Amino acid sequence: MKANFKRLIAAGAAAVLLAGTAGAAMAEVSGGMSSWQLGLQNSVTEVMDDIHWFKNFTLGIITIITLFVLALLIYVMVRFRRQANPSPSRTSHNTMIEVAWTVVPILILVVIAVPSFRLLYKQVEIPAYDMTIKATGFQWYWGYEYTDEALEGIAFEAIMLKDDERQQAAQERGVPLSDVPRLLATDYDVVVPVNKTVRVQVTAGDVIHAFAMPAFGIKIDAIPGRLNETWFNARETGIYYGQCSELCGKDHAFMPIAIRVVTQEQFDAWAETAKTDIDGAHKQLMAAIAAERNTAVAAR
């Protein structure tokens, strides 16, 4: 029995170690994501910074309320138990308490509402932007078009890589299979330069979809016949993943969004080739990223 228990402990420790290793790898290739993650994805935009702050702010308020209610419950259970209070009060109402439990929640909601409205305004108010990408949702993939005159001609459809396609994609990109995450990697990535404000125009070609990128703090509906807009400015290079966030049919869970943030030089080279050869542009970009990674590793 003791031997079995020791083996169980060892197996559990190995599982935790492997999970931690996998989580580190996922965090490296998937931007703000990591395996076994409980909280929000790590932020790489100003809007997501504010979302993190607002989450912590509301969590603090909720925690205080929860502890206060718990203290009241314990006090009532102890102070007014049968042994300590054999003759219960016949009080039917208390004006001061009734006013307090009406006014205090209103004040709490106002305190929460003010930064909430400020955050909503920041999300929908698009600042001066450097480029525009149109994203169109289809059952069940995304189509992208770079609409600026300097990037005219760049358009492609991004489809999720199936399990048997991930191995081939990893070999072509010169990366380990873990860098091509299951149910998230696509055959083509949206490529944008770092530290540039990108306006995203979102629509749909069939049913309602939703364009969501958690690490950027954006989520907006893609509605047929309507053009919605959102924006982001990613401050760190890397590959970031999102998904359709509106139930759109049987393959709703299989239309991910992959946005690769690169340096301005890498983007310029990619864009020049992508105007005529999207496959060649992606291969060229992945080769440049691999060379940069190898140089960084050699310099350590």
Side-chain angles (χ1 to χ4, degrees):
M1 181 65 71
K2 291 183 177 180
N4 291 336
F5 182 74
K6 290 181 178 179
R7 282 196 292 267
L8 181 61
I9 294 297
V16 170
L17 179 61
L18 289 175
T21 304
M26 180 66 79
E28 180 181 354
V29 302
S30 304
M33 295 191 307
S34 61
S35 296
W36 300 92
Q37 189 168 7
L38 295 178
L40 301 176
Q41 289 191 21
N42 295 332
S43 171
V44 292
T45 67
E46 184 179 343
V47 170
M48 193 58 183
D49 289 343
D50 291 348
I51 292 176
H52 273 275
W53 177 89
F54 185 68
K55 184 263 292 184
N56 294 331
F57 174 69
T58 53
L59 180 61
I61 293 177
I62 292 170
T63 301
I64 293 173
I65 293 173
T66 302
L67 294 175
F68 175 70
V69 173
L70 177 62
L72 285 179
L73 288 173
I74 295 174
Y75 173 77
V76 169
M77 288 188 293
V78 174
R79 172 65 180 82
F80 297 104
R81 70 187 191 278
R82 177 176 295 181
Q83 293 84 349
N85 191 48
S87 299
S89 172
R90 300 293 181 179
T91 304
S92 60
H93 67 278
N94 186 303
T95 302
M96 186 181 69
I97 292 178
E98 292 176 0
V99 170
W101 72 36
T102 301
V103 174
V104 171
I106 292 175
L107 295 177
I108 293 174
L109 291 176
V110 170
V111 170
I112 294 175
V114 171
S116 173
F117 291 151
R118 185 182 297 115
L119 176 58
L120 288 172
Y121 179 81
K122 191 171 189 176
Q123 289 177 309
V124 300
E125 185 67 15
I126 300 177
Y129 50 89
D130 300 292
M131 60 184 298
T132 300
I133 298 175
K134 182 179 179 181
T136 305
F138 299 100
Q139 292 178 308
W140 288 272
Y141 59 93
W142 291 92
Y144 300 99
E145 179 183 357
Y146 290 69
T147 61
D148 297 284
E149 183 177 355
L151 303 173
E152 186 176 358
I154 303 178
F156 55 88
E157 296 171 345
I159 301 174
M160 186 192 76
L161 292 174
K162 299 179 181 179
D163 288 341
D164 57 344
E165 298 172 331
R166 292 173 56 232
Q167 184 68 51
Q168 179 181 353
Q171 293 176 352
E172 292 177 350
R173 300 176 184 182
V175 298
L177 185 60
S178 60
D179 285 17
V180 188
R182 184 174 182 269
L183 302 182
L184 290 175
T186 57
D187 52 356
Y188 297 114
D189 302 329
V190 178
V191 181
V192 298
V194 68
N195 293 322
K196 296 293 183 180
T197 300
V198 181
R199 179 179 67 163
V200 184
Q201 296 181 322
V202 183
T203 188
D206 36 47
V207 300
I208 298 177
H209 302 276
F211 189 90
M213 182 60 62
F216 296 170
I218 61 175
K219 179 180 180 295
I220 192 166
D221 285 342
I223 302 174
R226 176 179 294 183
L227 200 64
N228 290 330
E229 291 185 337
T230 186
W231 69 281
F232 66 87
N233 186 319
R235 58 174 174 260
E236 296 179 14
T237 59
I239 178 73
Y240 301 92
Y241 294 103
Q243 290 177 304
C244 174
S245 295
E246 183 72 34
L247 188 60
C248 57
K250 70 179 184 68
D251 285 341
H252 158 68
F254 306 103
M255 52 180 301
I257 302 164
I259 298 181
R260 188 177 295 276
V261 182
V262 299
T263 64
Q264 185 65 54
E265 294 76 13
Q266 291 172 339
F267 175 79
D268 292 339
W270 173 86
E272 188 63 30
T273 306
K275 294 177 183 178
T276 56
D277 182 8
I278 191 68
D279 290 301
H282 276 80
K283 291 179 180 179
Q284 173 182 306
L285 177 62
M286 293 308 300
I289 293 175
E292 181 179 352
R293 184 189 302 118
N294 293 336
T295 302
V297 170
R300 291 177 182 175

